[in-house]
Amino acid sequence: MEILALKHLTFSYPGQEQKAIEDISMRIRSGDFVVLCGQSGCGKTTLLKLIKKELAPHGNLEGEILYCNKPLYKTDDRVSASEIGFVAQNPEGQIVTDKVWHELSFAMENLGYENSAISLRVGELANYFGITPWFRKQTQTLSGGQKQLLNLAAVMTVSPKILLLDEPTSQLDPIAAADFIATLQKINRELGTTILLAEHRLEELFPAADKVAVMENGRLIAYDSPRQVCMTLKNNPISAGFPSAVRIWQSLEGKNECPLTVKEGREYLEENFEPSLCNHVSRKSDFGIPFIQMSDIWFRYAKEEEDILRGADVTIHGGEIFCILGGNASGKSTLLKLIAGLRKAYRGKIEILGKSIQKYKNGGLYRHMVSMLPQDPQTVFVAGTVKEDLLDICGIMGFSKKESENKINELSDRLSIGRLLDRHPHDLSGGEQQKCALAKVLLTEPKILLLDEPTKGIDAYAKLSLKSVLAGLRDDGLCVVLVTHDVEFAAENADRCSLLFDGELLEALSPEQFFSSNNFYTTSASRMSRGIFQDTITAEAVIAAGRAQWKD
Amino acid sequence: MKHLENNAFSRFHPISLAVYFVAVMLITMFCPHPVILLLSLAGGILFSIRLTGTDAFAKDCRFYLPLFFLVTFTNPLFSHNGVTVLFFLNGKPITLEALMYGADLALMLFGVVFWSKCWGAVMTSDKLLFLFGKPFPRLSLVLSMSLRYIPLFKKKWQEIKDAQTALGCFSEGGFLSGIRSSTRIFSALVTWSFENTIDTGMSMSARGYGLKNRTSYSLFRLKRRDVFFILLTLALAASAVVGIATGALAYIFYPAASVPQDGSAILFYVLFGVLALLPFAEETREALTWRYLLSNI
Amino acid sequence: MERLTPKKAIGYSIILVLIPLFIAGGAFLLENRQYVWISLCIAVLACVPFFAVFEKKTADVRRMVVLAVLVALSVLGRFAFSFVPHFKPVTAIVILAGLYLGAESGFLCGALSAFLSNFFFGQGPWTPFQMLGWGIIGFFAGLFSKPLRKHLSLLLLYGGFAGAIFSLLMDVWTVLWLDGSFLFARYAALVAAALPVTAIYAASNLIFLLLLARPLGKKLDRIERKYGL
Ligand SMILES: Nc1ncnc2c1ncn2[C@@H]1O[C@H](COP(=O)(O)OP(=O)(O)OP(=O)(O)O)[C@@H](O)[C@H]1O
Ligand SMILES: Nc1ncnc2c1ncn2[C@@H]1O[C@H](COP(=O)(O)OP(=O)(O)OP(=O)(O)O)[C@@H](O)[C@H]1O
Ligand SMILES: [Mg+2]
Ligand SMILES: [Mg+2]
């Protein structure tokens, strides 16, 4: 049965010439798992919101949406509330009440369920999602992953027929993200719930999906089974964001079936290539002078709380991109805050360019020295438009008017945010905010650049431009510290990687050593090519090795 | 404050608790009889020690004792009623009765203060919201959201401040630049909170808020023990009202301090004493039971 | 018109008969403290109609959220500017809530802010009076929103007076509570003791109104346009 049908859907935001959605027609069958992907700003969020009528943004809408063959905007409120569930990108924004149990019962209260029915359902779901241990907790105290799980559970209480999810895993570490997707798959399989999910991290999703919808500039350019989409979009730049197996297959003149999972990718490599275990890659190993020296750092947020960092040691040099990985709540952001002088370790010493961090007075640390892109890009903006924000920081850095204009123009070209300059920062899509915040941080022209998850919510193309920006900075002798959950990006860009675990930074290794020795905290390219090629941890490396190793 | 959630008295149903606290506080506020006030203060202090420990009480004392004497000894400066003149100050009589009345006032003040402290510790926000939610469901939801937002915004405030500091846009040095920087961040916080919390509103409607026939769910169940407790409270409180109405609990300070000599007053003292000491007794009983049960393991 | 069900009839009779009886009985019983009793009852009951009206309104969720945000911000403002003692934007935000969201929202913002901030500063019999006091400040700001919005000077005047009068009235109640009648000497002493705090407080009202009035209005406008409130 067809649960949802879009017919020539077109939408534009008020006062915006460009259409956010343009002439989209698609049908979704009941029980399907559909993945929606495309560049950031292509209209994924807008499309999902249009399908949930209570969330439909203001603007000019043409075309029609049919839910179970009836116009969506005319369905009963009660039906829409209970049958269409929505989980948004930002887990925090959706939580309504202050207690976990109340959040779970909220939707059922609204629909007028009896107390006994609510008790039973809430109990059942809390068990299913493993929420029982924090059932009576304050919603505020939950971790990001727990919040996202709570959102999903809260929506599931009224047994929706279709679930809409907007980048639900963008803030989760790779392992938590995989768990979350597994839960979704379980719901899809066991309850027959239809799922429509927008995402940039597709590695785990393609194998799970029944259908993939690809959008570009508000248009739907492909809508088919994952394999079919990979075949048809073979030469499209959009495929840069596809799973590694697909990209490898596409670049190596893939024949036959396109592999989607690590297992299939491995089979494909084994069948078509001669194993070669000699090392081709050599990465930089001599770095400049030490920029950041941390020794034996201990930190906790409050006296009565637990230690977050327990004796972290590290030395990071100029001309180096240093990448810190680690699970949710392992203390990565905390570590960056310490380096940026925003918090003080209660024990241990941090030296910035050979000078103790406490000796920098009156904001001297932030004058062309250290600059940080925080985890939430929205905290960077203070003005009414992106341009004003950028000019503001130029003023503080003491650039002249002319200089400022030049710098802003050059940066906005490099990050392709030119058309966003006159918009309100909060009107941008998640990925666009990320890029604009980065621009503001880069304008401070620091010697040490700290980036907290700069790639979340941005598309493969933007990652490429970020890559070139970072490489440029490194070559200028800057020190870049990168915190990320994006193992693919780390593997491609880092000079050294380190895992933050149990409050300590484990020994920093080159990405090749780091990712080839990990089994779970690693890239799929590495898992796929292990034992076939040596130290090929990125799709590009596998492709390069493959080119040289064709069978016959 | 974690251990508070688990004490015996706060496990009563919110309605029982509210009835109890309101009864005790009203009697304390409106019955000026020193014996009643002393009993009330004793009950309040003992209960608050049970709740927050002796250390917190010692700290309170350091703050309240001077205040106690301040209220007692300044009252004669404001009030010159009374017949027993102790001495003259600036030509105005300072009377023993006014001094006694001052002490009585201080007793009442601190009785109410300590009971309010206990109320604050026991009536956590979810209990108040439950009480409020019956007659005013929409308001109680607004309160519940605000309660969630306060720590959230506090965290956001810190995050924005951090972000701006790391960009070199924040300085706390100096009064004016401190206020300017803080206002800048406050303004960013206001923008952030409006933009993001509208999402919350949307998420509420998305989950069916605003449909007719809303029910309200809670984890609180009225048990037999609660009903018994409410009846007991009401009976004891009624006895105090009878005492006030019949004049047995009357106490007159001016012009001369006098206690109505009535044997029945003793009965009223005892009954109110039981009421005021109920929470402390319940806590102690529970603690003893626990010790006994644990010794059996 | 809604039909009068037995349940409702009972409800109304409680309001119409029992409450006056309750107050009169209390006043009669408590001879020398009757003013305290009556004022306490009035403070509690005066809030009820505002709350009831809010309940009756058809659910406009977004307005509820905006109200919740303003309440939270006004409570939080105390922490944000804690580096200057007694310097807090509560009254300013309550006034602005009345100004931009209407008299009723102004009242609610004030009353709820008082209620919530006492979670952190201690609940007690003074809570209903603070609720009523701040509520009324927001309410009148809403009633006179037209002139107040037009002339910044009027707004500042209102803000300064509202803050001062609020403190003065709270002291009146403290005196009433202590003595059962109004003792002027005690009142004067209280006011004198609180004078520096009241002065900082009034000044902070002015400063925050000056700093926040325009931007907050702009932000609310933007939200209104973006989401079509
Ligand atoms: N409230 C708004 N007002 C005006 N324009 C908007 C608004 N929200 C989004 N847009 C614009 O509409 C386009 C589509 O945005 P949308 O949020 O749907 O993108 P997206 O595909 O979800 O991107 P991302 O992957 O970065 O989240 C973008 O160009 C964005 O700037
Ligand atoms: N301001 C704060 N006050 C108290 N505890 C905090 C604060 N910020 C973070 N924490 C706690 O410190 C721990 C580490 O948090 P941190 O944000 O550094 O983790 P992270 O590694 O960056 O996680 P994520 O990958 O989810 O961003 C968490 O348990 C968190 O709850
Ligand atoms: Mg999006
Ligand atoms: Mg982090």
Side-chain angles (χ1 to χ4, degrees):
Chain A
M1 196 192 87
E2 200 174 274
I3 191 162
L4 198 70
L6 313 181
K7 291 190 172 157
H8 303 291
L9 202 67
T10 298
F11 178 83
S12 52
Y13 282 99
Q16 223 72 53
E17 260 172 49
Q18 207 188 3
K19 296 195 167 78
I21 301 280
E22 205 167 346
D23 194 26
I24 287 190
S25 300
M26 71 192 280
R27 294 160 189 283
I28 294 177
R29 281 177 359 130
S30 176
D32 268 0
F33 191 131
V34 181
V35 170
L36 184 63
C37 58
Q39 287 180 338
S40 81
C42 70
K44 301 181 293 298
T45 303
T46 312
L47 184 68
L48 288 182
K49 285 193 171 165
L50 286 173
I51 298 176
K52 178 80 184 157
K53 75 172 180 186
E54 295 88 347
L55 304 181
H58 254 268
N60 192 4
L61 179 74
E62 288 161 36
E64 203 175 20
I65 306 174
L66 297 182
Y67 173 70
C68 292
N69 300 320
K70 280 188 251 54
L72 177 75
Y73 290 96
K74 295 208 181 97
T75 45
D76 185 32
D77 287 345
R78 201 166 283 272
V79 171
S80 169
S82 66
E83 296 189 356
I84 305 182
F86 190 95
V87 177
Q89 182 164 1
N90 172 11
E92 205 123 83
Q94 284 183 93
I95 296 176
V96 177
T97 59
D98 57 338
K99 293 277 165 130
V100 169
W101 62 265
H102 197 186
E103 192 62 25
L104 283 176
S105 63
F106 183 75
M108 299 183 79
E109 288 179 334
N110 294 336
L111 293 171
Y113 282 77
E114 291 299 323
N115 256 345
S116 53
I118 298 182
S119 295
L120 184 62
R121 180 77 59 81
V122 163
E124 187 199 358
L125 273 164
N127 269 319
Y128 185 83
F129 286 99
I131 288 175
T132 326
W134 31 282
F135 183 66
R136 277 172 187 267
K137 269 200 177 173
Q138 210 97 35
T139 47
Q140 204 38 58
T141 61
L142 304 181
S143 76
Q146 287 176 325
K147 278 184 191 150
Q148 202 56 289
L149 204 60
L150 174 63
N151 281 329
L152 180 63
V155 167
M156 288 307 292
T157 50
V158 289
S159 351
K161 288 197 177 139
I162 179 166
L163 266 181
L164 310 170
L165 301 112
D166 189 7
E167 298 189 39
T169 63
S170 64
Q171 310 250 10
L172 303 186
D173 68 55
I175 293 162
D179 283 348
F180 190 85
I181 291 169
T183 310
L184 284 179
Q185 258 183 299
K186 201 164 137 197
I187 290 172
N188 176 253
R189 240 183 300 120
E190 291 176 1
L191 306 173
T193 312
T194 314
I195 291 181
L196 177 57
L197 182 152
E199 191 49 281
H200 287 294
R201 288 161 78 178
L202 302 170
E203 207 68 57
E204 317 268 344
L205 278 172
F206 265 47
D210 295 310
K211 289 269 180 70
V212 170
V214 185
M215 288 177 67
E216 192 178 52
N217 293 331
R219 289 175 176 279
L220 187 68
I221 58 167
Y223 177 50
D224 215 326
S225 75
R227 277 184 225 281
Q228 204 56 46
V229 166
C230 297
M231 307 265 216
T232 42
L233 292 183
K234 216 164 164 183
N235 296 317
N236 194 309
I238 270 189
S239 60
F242 286 0
S244 310
V246 177
R247 270 151 59 209
I248 293 169
W249 175 84
Q250 285 183 338
S251 303
L252 292 174
E253 293 143 48
K255 287 182 283 263
N256 310 330
E257 283 269 274
C258 168
L260 291 177
T261 60
V262 168
K263 191 172 135 192
E264 289 168 0
R266 216 179 149 73
E267 277 166 12
Y268 166 75
L269 289 179
E270 275 168 351
E271 264 167 37
N272 294 296
F273 302 94
E274 295 289 347
S276 130
L277 291 176
C278 63
N279 198 350
H280 332 253
V281 266
S282 65
R283 289 236 184 173
K284 199 168 156 185
S285 58
D286 55 324
F287 302 107
I289 54 161
F291 272 32
I292 304 168
Q293 281 168 295
M294 296 179 87
S295 48
D296 194 31
I297 291 296
W298 292 71
F299 178 79
R300 58 174 71 177
Y301 276 98
K303 258 197 198 119
E304 64 279 9
E305 278 178 40
E306 278 179 40
D307 283 325
I308 311 278
L309 297 174
R310 300 184 193 83
D313 279 301
V314 73
T315 303
I316 306 175
H317 310 85
E320 167 176 48
I321 299 180
F322 189 89
C323 185
I324 299 172
L325 297 130
N328 282 123
S330 57
K332 303 181 297 301
S333 306
T334 308
L335 188 75
L336 284 195
K337 283 183 207 159
L338 284 169
I339 300 177
L342 300 170
R343 296 283 183 290
K344 246 180 78 187
Y346 69 87
R347 194 170 153 186
K349 203 161 110 186
I350 303 180
E351 284 182 3
I352 302 288
L353 280 166
K355 188 166 141 189
S356 165
I357 196 163
Q358 268 94 27
K359 296 229 176 84
Y360 289 90
K361 291 273 152 60
N362 297 331
L365 192 57
Y366 310 112
R367 288 274 171 269
H368 303 299
M369 185 62 83
V370 176
S371 190
M372 181 173 90
L373 173 72
Q375 186 161 353
D376 181 357
Q378 292 184 341
T379 54
V380 166
F381 304 115
V382 289
T385 66
V386 176
K387 182 99 183 236
E388 279 170 35
D389 244 309
L390 297 183
L391 283 174
D392 176 64
I393 194 78
C394 286
I396 286 171
M397 288 298 137
F399 300 147
S400 72
K401 227 177 195 159
K402 190 104 187 291
E403 251 180 313
S404 312
E405 284 291 334
N406 289 340
K407 282 182 201 246
I408 291 176
N409 285 339
E410 193 216 353
L411 249 184
S412 55
D413 280 347
R414 253 162 95 188
L415 295 170
S416 53
I417 51 171
R419 67 182 183 90
L420 308 175
L421 288 183
D422 294 322
R423 303 263 290 273
H424 193 283
H426 286 269
D427 280 349
L428 305 176
S429 83
E432 290 166 345
Q433 282 177 352
Q434 191 73 44
K435 286 195 275 183
C436 294
L438 183 67
K440 187 164 176 184
V441 171
L442 287 178
L443 277 175
T444 60
E445 301 188 337
K447 289 201 179 65
I448 296 173
L449 180 62
L450 311 172
L451 303 174
D452 202 345
E453 303 190 22
T455 60
K456 67 170 180 305
I458 67 176
D459 56 59
Y461 179 74
K463 276 184 205 171
L464 282 181
S465 53
L466 181 59
K467 180 180 176 172
S468 78
V469 170
L470 293 186
L473 295 176
R474 169 183 48 197
D475 296 341
D476 291 346
L478 265 71
C479 159
V480 179
V481 184
L482 187 72
V483 162
T484 188
H485 290 310
D486 188 341
V487 281
E488 263 77 25
F489 190 77
E492 266 174 44
N493 294 283
D495 293 311
R496 287 192 300 157
C497 296
S498 176
L499 186 72
L500 184 58
F501 174 73
D502 193 32
E504 278 188 78
L505 270 171
L506 306 186
E507 196 198 339
L509 300 170
S510 78
E512 283 75 24
Q513 288 170 307
F514 185 88
F515 291 109
S516 347
S517 52
N518 285 353
N519 275 328
F520 301 102
Y521 227 99
T522 186
T523 61
S524 19
S526 162
R527 274 180 280 171
M528 207 178 299
S529 61
R530 199 162 290 185
I532 303 174
F533 302 134
Q534 177 76 30
D535 287 347
T536 44
I537 52 164
T538 61
E540 282 64 40
V542 175
I543 293 165
R547 291 231 158 93
Q549 296 291 327
W550 277 109
K551 272 192 183 164
D552 53 70
Chain B
M1 297 258 274
K2 234 177 246 155
H3 61 287
L4 295 181
E5 284 282 318
N6 285 326
N7 64 27
F9 192 70
S10 57
R11 277 203 299 273
F12 278 114
H13 194 270
I15 291 182
S16 330
L17 294 175
V19 168
Y20 179 80
F21 276 113
V22 169
V24 172
M25 283 215 242
L26 282 183
I27 294 171
T28 310
M29 280 174 69
F30 290 109
C31 178
H33 197 294
V35 176
I36 294 291
L37 291 179
L38 265 177
L39 286 171
S40 170
L41 183 62
I45 288 180
L46 285 174
F47 188 27
S48 87
I49 289 179
R50 269 275 170 220
L51 286 175
T52 51
T54 34
D55 289 353
F57 173 68
K59 225 186 202 169
D60 282 347
C61 278
R62 235 170 294 147
F63 179 66
Y64 287 131
L65 266 182
L67 260 180
F68 186 94
F69 290 112
L70 188 76
V71 173
T72 307
F73 290 111
T74 52
N75 190 54
L77 302 180
F78 302 127
S79 164
H80 306 288
N81 294 331
V83 288
T84 325
V85 178
L86 297 176
F87 56 90
F88 283 88
L89 194 72
N90 284 344
K92 295 262 172 78
I94 299 296
T95 66
L96 178 67
E97 283 79 11
L99 202 63
M100 284 166 68
Y101 185 63
D104 195 62
L105 270 186
L107 274 183
M108 172 181 61
L109 205 61
F110 295 114
V112 171
V113 163
F114 272 99
W115 281 112
S116 299
K117 262 181 164 337
C118 299
W119 159 282
V122 171
M123 295 300 274
T124 44
S125 55
D126 50 338
K127 292 188 185 125
L128 280 176
L129 284 179
F130 169 81
L131 290 175
F132 220 58
K134 288 278 157 178
F136 305 116
R138 260 158 68 79
L139 264 185
S140 105
L141 191 69
V142 170
L143 274 177
S144 168
M145 284 192 284
S146 298
L147 271 176
R148 194 178 97 69
Y149 289 156
I150 291 170
L152 179 68
F153 290 178
K154 214 166 156 184
K155 197 173 124 211
K156 244 328 143 229
W157 163 269
Q158 186 66 48
E159 271 178 35
I160 296 176
K161 187 170 149 188
D162 283 348
Q164 298 301 324
T165 311
L167 285 171
C169 312
F170 182 88
S171 77
E172 233 163 340
F175 180 75
L176 268 186
S177 76
I179 287 192
R180 204 178 315 123
S181 295
S182 292
T183 315
R184 187 184 155 92
I185 291 177
F186 196 70
S187 151
L189 176 71
V190 173
T191 309
W192 182 91
S193 45
F194 280 142
E195 300 277 348
N196 282 273
T197 48
I198 290 286
D199 284 354
T200 317
M202 305 269 238
S203 152
M204 286 164 64
S205 353
R207 286 192 275 158
Y209 186 76
L211 294 176
K212 280 224 169 97
N213 303 327
R214 187 173 196 279
T215 51
S216 84
Y217 176 71
S218 84
L219 298 179
F220 301 114
R221 305 270 176 271
L222 198 69
K223 302 207 179 92
R224 192 181 300 164
R225 167 179 120 97
D226 291 301
V227 177
F228 174 73
F229 180 70
I230 293 179
L231 291 179
L232 182 66
T233 305
L234 287 179
L236 291 173
S239 80
V241 173
V242 170
I244 297 172
T246 56
L249 289 181
Y251 192 98
I252 295 157
F253 288 93
Y254 302 130
S258 71
V259 194
Q261 290 308 317
D262 187 348
S264 71
I266 309 246
L267 177 68
F268 289 118
Y269 299 160
V270 172
L271 287 177
F272 181 76
V274 172
L275 181 66
L277 290 172
L278 264 183
F280 176 69
E282 174 68 15
E283 289 294 329
T284 311
R285 192 184 60 78
E286 181 75 6
L288 291 179
T289 316
W290 258 110
R291 195 172 303 164
Y292 171 72
L293 288 177
L294 285 180
S295 72
N296 282 347
I297 294 175
Chain C
M1 255 323 263
E2 281 178 67
R3 262 187 52 234
L4 195 70
T5 56
K7 206 171 152 193
K8 267 198 194 132
I10 294 174
Y12 286 134
S13 54
I14 286 181
I15 292 174
L16 290 179
V17 180
L18 281 186
I19 288 183
L21 260 182
F22 186 67
I23 299 176
F28 175 73
L29 259 181
L30 300 169
E31 293 167 28
N32 57 348
R33 302 186 64 78
Q34 54 184 324
Y35 298 115
V36 191
W37 172 253
I38 292 173
S39 61
L40 189 62
C41 288
I42 287 177
V44 173
L45 291 177
C47 292
V48 171
F50 289 97
F51 295 170
V53 166
F54 183 71
E55 293 298 328
K56 275 272 151 11
K57 283 253 172 87
T58 46
D60 180 355
V61 180
R62 292 169 217 189
R63 276 193 180 272
M64 282 171 66
V65 175
V66 171
L67 184 62
V69 170
L70 285 174
V71 172
L73 283 175
S74 75
V75 176
L76 194 81
R78 297 183 170 210
F79 300 103
F81 292 88
S82 55
F83 60 94
V84 193
H86 305 292
F87 195 75
K88 41 195 182 215
V90 186
T91 313
I93 292 183
V94 170
I95 290 175
L96 292 175
L99 214 58
Y100 292 110
L101 301 179
E104 273 164 35
S105 300
F107 184 91
L108 290 173
C109 182
L112 298 186
S113 300
F115 184 63
L116 270 196
S117 60
N118 282 355
F119 274 111
F120 304 93
F121 297 88
Q123 303 278 7
W126 47 86
T127 305
F129 290 90
Q130 289 180 341
M131 287 172 71
L132 188 65
W134 263 327
I136 287 178
I137 291 179
F139 183 74
F140 279 110
L143 274 193
F144 302 116
S145 70
K146 264 220 182 105
L148 288 180
R149 261 208 239 195
K150 221 184 225 160
H151 307 286
L152 189 65
S153 50
L154 270 185
L155 184 63
L156 293 182
L157 202 66
Y158 179 72
F161 267 112
I165 288 179
F166 175 75
S167 308
L168 293 180
L169 280 181
M170 282 305 292
D171 287 340
V172 169
W173 188 73
T174 312
V175 171
L176 258 188
W177 181 40
L178 287 178
D179 293 311
S181 60
F182 189 72
L183 261 188
F184 187 75
R186 195 193 291 279
Y187 181 66
L190 268 181
V191 170
L195 201 59
V197 176
T198 314
I200 297 183
Y201 187 55
S204 70
N205 278 345
L206 293 186
I207 293 179
F208 280 112
L209 278 176
L210 208 59
L211 287 177
L212 289 179
R214 272 295 129 76
L216 196 75
K218 253 198 212 155
K219 280 167 195 169
L220 280 170
D221 276 349
R222 198 187 112 74
I223 291 294
E224 254 166 53
R225 243 180 304 116
K226 181 166 172 186
Y227 296 97
L229 287 184

